[in-house]
Amino acid sequence: MEHGLAPGARAVKLSGETMMNRDAARMGRERADTIGVEPFDTGYGAGLEIQEDAPVLECELVEDDGRFRVHRPTAADRPSHLCFIDGVMRTEARLTRTGSEGETRVGLAGSWAAGVVRIAEGQPARIDQVQTGRTVIFTGGGAVRLPPHRDGWAWTPGSVEGMEIEAAREQLRRLMRDAEMRIADDVCAQGWLPVFDGPLHGIWRNRASPVIGYVKTHHRRTLAPEPWSRVPLLSPGERSSLFAMGDDLYGSYLRIGTAGPWASPWAGIVRIEAPARVGREAAIGALDGAASWLPDFASPLHRDARAPVNLTPVSGLERRLHHLLGDSRLALRAVRETVLRFNRREGSA
């Protein structure tokens, strides 16, 4: 496999010095200050969201003798049994709970859904193994069971020990991720290659199973300043050298597509991940292959507010999952009516 080829170039071997000169020239062209427009709809946040309080993680480059290189993978066959796993969650109502002594705790009513898009060779893509749930989560360690609503709305009771609402949101996120993991276990056992829409988390970090993480948003700098500044110079279909994210993950940056001439330099950049337990060489092969065929799924600018980084199969899956969660306005009304019923029942007890 030839690495480091410029777009449209012939497959010729370039010396290390030639590669460095080419990359330096590309950097020189990008030194001027520029202003870009984020491709994400404001409701989705932004692709580059560096948080001031997020710890900097300067990962070690473990490919190309520890130097930052640009790789343009040669065309690789798409896996014959490929699938994309994603989940969605929604906070439908903020809640409070006041005890007999006047102490008030906060909580939420929310819902989640997860599923998979299967893409088998010679067959149409299909959405499968959809799981959904609806829950009420209170802080302070006390769960409350709300009665089911007459129109079929029902909530599983839950609680967290913390007192901040973010702890309840994190529990809702955990329920969604647990569902994703159950789906991933099934598809892996059936011989499918799963691509997670999001970072690899939980037990996947410690497994030697073939799995790809696909990260659209960048919350912190993960490389030393010099290689980090070169990531936005990647052209569509090019990836960066592999780097180790602690002891359990390998990662590489990839420009999945073009976000438009008005976009910021980081628009169209994603991070792809593989578990470290597969081994460095296997991770290089897996991420190099993924960098070859993932751009085929990049969403077009005229169809998706998060193009090109939101993959087309994931976009379709998200629409189905949001539909299954029902109308958010009806969900809120159901929560309000159920809370009124609950309070009347408790008051008459």
Side-chain angles (χ1 to χ4, degrees):
M1 181 176 294
E2 299 289 342
H3 301 302
L5 297 182
R10 292 178 301 164
V12 296
K13 188 166 294 288
L14 301 177
S15 68
E17 182 178 0
T18 301
M19 286 291 297
M20 293 178 65
N21 289 340
R22 188 200 74 169
D23 291 342
R26 293 170 66 174
M27 288 184 65
R29 293 196 300 270
E30 297 288 341
R31 285 299 185 189
D33 290 341
T34 57
I35 298 206
V37 180
E38 268 289 346
F40 281 24
D41 183 282
T42 54
Y44 293 111
L48 184 65
E49 290 187 337
I50 301 299
Q51 301 171 351
E52 291 185 3
D53 58 348
V56 174
L57 179 65
E58 293 194 359
C59 300
E60 178 187 1
L61 293 166
V62 294
E63 189 180 10
D64 306 313
D65 297 323
R67 299 178 180 179
F68 186 95
R69 287 273 304 277
V70 174
H71 294 256
R72 187 169 186 86
T74 56
D77 292 335
R78 184 190 307 172
S80 60
H81 290 77
L82 175 66
C83 62
F84 295 85
I85 297 173
D86 192 22
V88 300
M89 52 178 271
R90 185 175 72 192
T91 299
E92 295 169 339
R94 290 281 297 267
L95 305 173
T96 60
R97 177 188 179 195
T98 303
S100 58
E101 298 181 358
E103 180 184 4
T104 298
R105 297 173 180 175
V106 297
L108 61 82
S111 56
W112 57 265
V116 60
V117 180
R118 296 180 184 259
I119 302 177
E121 189 174 8
Q123 299 179 20
R126 63 184 176 94
I127 295 175
D128 194 17
Q129 293 184 248
V130 171
Q131 302 179 24
T132 63
R134 187 162 267 109
T135 183
V136 167
I137 304 171
F138 277 102
T139 61
V144 175
R145 182 178 295 277
L146 293 180
H149 189 269
R150 62 179 181 274
D151 292 335
W153 304 85
W155 302 265
T156 300
S159 66
V160 292
E161 293 299 325
M163 300 300 291
E164 300 292 332
I165 191 64
E166 187 54 39
R169 290 197 188 98
E170 184 56 36
Q171 176 64 13
L172 181 62
R173 186 175 295 109
R174 188 173 298 114
L175 293 172
M176 176 192 72
R177 288 179 171 172
D178 287 346
E180 292 175 343
M181 300 305 298
R182 291 192 295 270
I183 295 170
D185 279 335
D186 286 344
V187 297
C188 280
Q190 297 164 14
W192 293 70
L193 173 66
V195 176
F196 272 102
D197 187 67
L200 295 181
H201 49 262
I203 58 176
W204 284 108
R205 288 174 175 263
N206 300 314
R207 289 192 178 184
S209 304
V211 59
I212 303 293
Y214 182 86
V215 184
K216 299 189 288 279
T217 303
H218 314 291
H219 294 291
R220 61 181 176 178
R221 176 165 61 84
T222 57
L223 299 173
E226 194 276 333
W228 178 257
S229 70
R230 297 172 66 182
V231 172
L233 305 183
L234 295 170
S235 294
E238 292 181 341
R239 71 167 181 89
S240 72
S241 301
L242 198 74
F243 50 89
M245 303 180 66
D247 296 329
D248 48 11
L249 284 179
Y250 287 120
S252 177
Y253 286 103
L254 165 70
R255 184 173 291 281
I256 196 72
T258 301
W262 53 83
S264 68
W266 276 85
I269 296 289
V270 299
R271 186 177 75 241
I272 49 179
E273 300 176 347
R277 289 194 65 179
V278 303
R280 188 180 75 96
E281 295 305 316
I284 290 175
L287 296 184
D288 209 54
S292 173
W293 44 259
L294 274 174
D296 295 341
F297 297 102
S299 53
L301 299 180
H302 65 283
R303 289 187 178 178
D304 197 311
R306 290 174 286 173
V309 296
N310 200 37
L311 302 177
T312 298
V314 173
S315 179
L317 176 60
E318 287 176 337
R319 286 194 299 271
R320 173 71 68 81
L321 297 179
H322 281 297
H323 175 73
L324 291 174
L325 293 184
D327 190 302
S328 61
R329 295 167 298 181
L330 296 179
L332 175 59
R333 187 176 72 179
V335 172
R336 288 171 173 169
E337 293 176 351
T338 300
V339 166
L340 284 174
R341 179 183 168 199
F342 176 85
N343 290 339
R344 292 188 185 115
R345 187 183 69 182
E346 291 296 303
S348 61

